[in-house]
Amino acid sequence: MKTRFYIFAFIALNHLHAFAQFNLSGTVVDENNAPIVEALVTLTPIGYKTSTDFNGDFNFPHLKKGTYTLKISAFGYSSLTKEVYVDVQLRRQEYQLRVNKEELNVIELTEEKENDFGRATLDFVEGTAIYAGKKSEVVLLEDIQANLATNNSRQIYAKVAGLNIWESDGAGIQLGIGGRGLNPNRVSNFNTRQNGYDISADALGYPESYYSPATEAIERIEIVRGAASLQYGTQFGGFVNFKLREGPVDKPFEFTSRQTLGSFGLFNSFNSIGGSANRFRYYGFYQFKTGNGWRPNSQFDVQNAHLNLQYDITDRLKIGVEYTHMYYLAQQPGGLSDAMFQQDPRQSIRERNWFQVRWNLASLKADYKINANTNANLMLFGLIAGRDALGFLGKITRVDPGIERNLLMDKYQNFGAELRVLHSYSFLNNPSTFLIGTRYYNGFTNRKQGLGNDGSGPDFYYLHPNDLEHSEYDFPSQNLAIFTENIFHLNSKLSVTPGLRFEYINTNADGYYNNIQYDLAGNEIYRERVEDNRTNSRAFVLAGIGMSYKPKDNKEFYANISQNYRSINFNDMRIVNPNYRVDPNLKDEKGFSADIGFRGTAGKYFSFDVTGFMIYYNDRIGQVLKTDSLLFSTYRLRTNVADSRNIGIEAYAELNILPILGYQKQNQALNIYT
């Protein structure tokens, strides 16, 4: 009953609109009175931003009476800054921008661009999402110095404090990042998305991502920490979104081609096209990457392709469709014991282990401007994918005996829909923003494990496909979520953002596994087939609240706390491996995340962000080393290890030292960051 009361009270507060409010609207035109499309319009000191539509119109609703500074900028035009007084007598005005007459070269164009140091934060409201009071970072790929051809994570994420980066290959095939002490393996502790839709194997049952977008095609990477759980799902790590390029808006065709050569046979070819015509916009790329790797038996081939088509049906309705395909084949050199690593870290005693991934993503997106105050976004998405692992699973201290290899094959078929509505209104004579959304997700994983052939090549087929030696499972899952957040501006500097999320999760396991016992020499001595059918349904409500205080436009204090939840992964519970076992009584993980921090800039020369955080993690799943009571062999057991607390400080600072030395030439900088 208390939960229902809080939900109804929260919704009721969002509909108290009976207070004075004013609008600031206008039209942006050029010297020939033609409308300027997609001009950026900023209103300070409240920090509101919007863009003009196809008629050159813009609107800021629900403003308090008073004086504001209006700044309008557009590519190819001189910026306009003007003070406006907002009251009931204010009429719609026309703002004219003059064409920038100067012939600027590529470097000089950056005079209109602020120095973001290659790193920024998300605005309070972006699209139909709310980020007020949250710890967020944006990696701007155009402004960083990094090896994009190899997706070098240490360079790309260098300015994001608190990340653990795990590089499992030298070519950036597989991304591995984790935040605040959480496991970085395949980004499994983040809700990982591309252009707003899921890209992981199964967001509920198997949240690991075997697909990593080509960094050369990424415009920016958006990262939100634990407080993202209310809008994007319950992961403790938070949210990562790869926003891909969408092609130029000012030319009908553009072609880019980059060819990269590197050590150990590395060759990377990236080719893209993009452009726009009237209301149509397109972008696509194809990437091919191959190499031999630093160690023997580590060759790889990668192909990655993407197509994005967008069409503005009307000034209020825009649609877009995307398709992404990725395939890679990699030979795996196997691990090393400590003694082997000390002897020769480049050695490999596995030459028959292979890994293969096929990934197909598709999405359909529609953005609809219901009225001047309300926007809606609908996203439909799906995944058809698979990954195959073939090789000898014995301990790395054992030489591969050349017998039949183990073959593990996964197939993923997922689809979902997410609807968001964002509404601006006035509350207590201050502008407020209300978000409500719903999400449905259906995941399906088929996992098989049996014997493959005894050859040495990438031959991914079973010897007995109708009677597998180890296991076969289907893992269907469903998820329904309803979420809401609201920014309450208490005054021009202080805002509070509460939120709620309702989750229903249903996970199932249907299949069989063979219980196999081995002697100390690795020989099979016992086998029993076990039929397995389980269902687990649960529903719960998560709550959170954030706060932001801006004493000045370029400085902000922020704090938030939100609950987190991570369901157990049924499809990871039955891998037949003599070195690895899973507790059949695994429980879901629960807890919360909290942040408090201060961020901002000082002029155009200094940027900083300092955050204190805590993750309160109950029933955390981990691995412990056990000894079999009958065979006296050691194995790793995956179980609920304990409760944990991750407490720490993330600090980032960057300084352009040239002005300190008295050298302030435009477009030149010498930055030091830590």
Side-chain angles (χ1 to χ4, degrees):
M1 291 299 294
K2 289 185 177 180
T3 300
R4 293 180 179 177
F5 172 79
Y6 291 145
I7 294 175
F8 286 125
F10 179 81
I11 296 175
L13 286 173
N14 287 284
H15 293 84
L16 297 177
H17 295 182
F19 297 93
Q21 50 188 311
F22 307 101
N23 285 13
L24 172 60
S25 59
T27 303
V28 181
V29 298
D30 61 19
E31 293 169 303
N32 297 318
N33 290 322
I36 298 178
V37 180
E38 292 191 358
L40 177 63
V41 187
T42 306
L43 193 65
T44 55
I46 58 177
Y48 279 11
K49 293 182 180 179
T50 188
S51 298
T52 56
D53 58 23
F54 275 92
N55 296 317
D57 296 335
F58 70 88
N59 181 58
F60 291 108
H62 308 302
L63 301 176
K64 292 175 62 177
K65 183 177 181 179
T67 301
Y68 298 85
T69 301
L70 184 71
K71 182 178 180 180
I72 306 174
S73 59
F75 179 79
Y77 296 88
S78 299
S79 299
L80 173 67
T81 302
K82 185 175 182 179
E83 284 197 353
V84 292
Y85 183 74
V86 176
D87 65 4
V88 70
Q89 298 179 347
L90 180 66
R91 296 182 178 180
R92 187 182 192 88
Q93 296 188 30
E94 188 174 271
Y95 301 91
Q96 189 178 79
L97 299 186
R98 295 183 177 182
V99 176
N100 195 334
K101 302 293 186 180
E102 298 180 18
E103 294 184 4
L104 303 178
N105 58 35
V106 174
I107 297 178
E108 291 173 333
L109 281 174
T110 59
E111 292 185 25
E112 293 295 327
K113 185 179 183 302
E114 294 183 3
N115 184 2
D116 291 313
F117 299 92
R119 179 188 185 278
T121 59
L122 292 165
D123 292 332
F124 275 24
V125 176
E126 296 210 5
T128 51
I130 287 177
Y131 301 107
K134 295 177 173 61
K135 172 63 180 286
S136 67
E137 289 119 327
V138 179
V139 180
L140 305 170
L141 274 299
E142 283 187 351
D143 297 336
I144 65 173
Q145 301 299 316
N147 186 345
L148 303 184
T150 60
N151 295 2
N152 193 309
S153 300
R154 288 175 293 108
Q155 296 174 349
I156 294 169
Y157 300 94
K159 297 182 182 180
V160 181
L163 286 188
N164 315 312
I165 299 172
W166 179 1
E167 293 181 328
S168 57
D169 61 80
I173 302 173
Q174 193 69 69
L175 178 65
I177 58 173
R180 300 174 172 178
L182 300 179
N183 188 351
N185 183 40
R186 296 192 178 101
V187 210
S188 59
N189 279 287
F190 281 101
N191 184 294
T192 313
R193 301 192 179 195
Q194 173 180 283
N195 291 342
Y197 54 87
D198 293 70
I199 63 174
S200 58
D202 185 336
L204 293 175
Y206 195 51
E208 299 187 6
S209 180
Y210 290 93
Y211 160 69
S212 298
T215 311
E216 291 170 289
I218 298 175
E219 178 183 300
R220 63 189 224 170
I221 303 171
E222 302 167 345
I223 303 173
V224 183
R225 301 309 172 92
S229 62
L230 300 180
Q231 281 188 69
Y232 294 103
T234 59
Q235 292 284 18
F236 280 84
F239 163 72
V240 174
N241 182 46
F242 301 98
K243 189 177 186 306
L244 302 187
R245 302 181 188 276
E246 297 180 344
V249 296
D250 57 344
K251 59 180 71 173
F253 181 79
E254 180 181 78
F255 174 68
T256 300
S257 182
R258 298 188 186 93
Q259 315 304 316
T260 305
L261 297 175
S263 302
F264 307 103
L266 174 69
F267 171 68
N268 179 79
S269 177
F270 177 84
N271 308 275
S272 69
I273 59 172
S276 60
N278 297 325
R279 294 174 177 264
F280 178 69
R281 191 175 180 184
Y282 67 96
Y283 179 77
F285 72 83
Y286 172 76
Q287 179 195 43
F288 173 74
K289 183 186 300 185
T290 186
N292 297 323
W294 183 68
R295 296 172 62 196
N297 306 317
S298 57
Q299 67 185 68
F300 58 86
D301 292 300
V302 183
Q303 297 185 64
N304 198 339
H306 173 81
L307 180 64
N308 182 355
L309 305 176
Q310 300 182 51
Y311 185 71
D312 297 344
I313 297 177
T314 69
D315 294 344
R316 299 168 63 183
L317 177 61
K318 303 178 182 180
I319 62 170
V321 60
E322 294 183 33
Y323 171 70
T324 302
H325 171 75
M326 187 270 289
Y327 170 82
Y328 78 79
L329 175 66
Q331 191 174 12
Q332 297 187 315
L336 298 174
S337 67
D338 289 347
M340 296 167 67
F341 185 86
Q342 291 294 330
Q343 182 187 49
D344 181 6
R346 293 188 63 178
Q347 67 177 301
S348 168
I349 62 171
R350 295 285 185 269
E351 60 181 20
R352 304 192 305 143
N353 290 12
W354 295 87
F355 195 72
Q356 174 181 259
V357 172
R358 306 167 306 281
W359 225 253
N360 294 279
L361 291 159
S363 75
L364 174 65
K365 180 173 69 173
D367 291 292
Y368 182 61
K369 191 176 185 67
I370 300 174
N371 54 47
N373 303 329
T374 309
N375 295 313
N377 170 265
L378 174 64
M379 180 84 74
L380 308 176
F381 56 91
L383 167 73
I384 298 177
R387 66 101 170 142
D388 307 328
L390 175 66
F392 176 62
L393 294 181
K395 294 182 178 180
I396 195 58
T397 52
R398 289 190 59 195
V399 175
D400 185 346
I403 59 177
E404 292 86 357
R405 294 172 290 179
N406 262 275
L407 175 58
L408 293 85
M409 301 182 70
D410 280 9
K411 294 182 180 179
Y412 314 109
Q413 297 179 15
N414 312 322
F415 66 87
E418 187 166 305
L419 174 65
R420 292 165 169 264
V421 178
L422 188 80
H423 177 65
S424 300
Y425 67 96
S426 179
F427 177 73
L428 297 180
N429 209 27
N430 288 298
S432 294
T433 305
F434 172 64
L435 167 69
I436 189 167
T438 184
R439 168 186 166 94
Y440 174 76
Y441 182 85
N442 186 94
F444 179 83
T445 296
N446 172 258
R447 169 165 286 184
K448 299 178 181 180
Q449 182 181 2
L451 291 181
N453 64 71
D454 60 359
S456 59
D459 306 312
F460 297 93
Y461 64 88
Y462 288 109
L463 295 179
H464 308 101
N466 298 321
D467 185 22
L468 297 178
E469 291 79 6
H470 295 305
S471 65
E472 180 175 1
Y473 271 88
D474 289 336
F475 298 101
S477 60
Q478 296 81 37
N479 172 224
L480 175 65
I482 302 172
F483 53 90
T484 180
E485 288 196 59
N486 198 109
I487 305 176
F488 293 102
H489 285 279
L490 304 183
N491 53 47
S492 61
K493 298 180 179 180
L494 178 63
S495 68
V496 177
T497 308
L500 291 173
R501 184 181 182 93
F502 167 78
E503 285 269 357
Y504 168 77
I505 297 175
N506 179 45
T507 50
N508 301 271
D510 183 15
Y512 72 89
Y513 68 95
N514 287 316
N515 185 13
I516 305 174
Q517 300 291 335
Y518 299 88
D519 61 20
L520 294 178
N523 301 310
E524 180 181 327
I525 59 176
Y526 173 78
R527 178 189 293 261
E528 176 191 14
R529 175 162 171 157
V530 180
E531 300 291 335
D532 193 10
N533 191 319
R534 279 180 282 173
T535 298
N536 188 1
S537 298
R538 53 272 202 209
F540 51 90
V541 175
L542 301 178
I545 189 169
M547 182 275 293
S548 172
Y549 176 70
K550 285 189 169 184
K552 295 182 179 180
D553 289 342
N554 59 347
K555 293 178 178 61
E556 179 187 9
F557 292 94
Y558 60 92
N560 64 75
I561 183 171
S562 63
Q563 292 175 289
N564 297 96
Y565 180 96
R566 192 171 193 235
S567 61
I568 58 174
N569 303 332
F570 271 156
N571 70 332
D572 197 32
M573 293 183 66
R574 287 300 170 198
I575 297 179
V576 181
N577 186 330
N579 310 311
Y580 183 82
R581 300 181 189 179
V582 180
D583 184 350
N585 298 313
L586 276 177
K587 296 184 293 184
D588 294 335
E589 302 167 307
K590 304 176 183 179
F592 67 84
S593 301
D595 299 324
I596 182 169
F598 180 47
R599 61 192 172 198
T601 60
K604 297 182 179 180
Y605 313 115
F606 182 66
S607 177
F608 64 91
D609 190 348
V610 180
T611 309
F613 68 86
M614 181 176 74
I615 300 177
Y616 188 95
Y617 210 138
N618 288 335
D619 296 321
R620 186 166 180 172
I621 295 174
Q623 295 183 15
V624 292
L625 199 63
K626 293 285 188 178
T627 302
D628 190 290
S629 58
L630 296 178
L631 301 175
F632 302 104
S633 59
T634 58
Y635 63 91
R636 292 189 177 277
L637 177 67
R638 184 170 185 262
T639 185
N640 297 99
V641 178
D643 298 343
S644 73
R645 312 288 180 269
N646 294 12
I647 303 173
I649 295 176
E650 298 166 340
Y652 155 82
E654 184 162 5
L655 175 67
N656 177 8
I657 66 173
L658 290 184
I660 299 176
L661 302 176
Y663 187 85
Q664 300 191 42
K665 190 171 182 179
Q666 197 79 0
N667 309 315
Q668 295 189 14
L670 180 60
N671 288 1
I672 297 176
Y673 71 90
T674 183

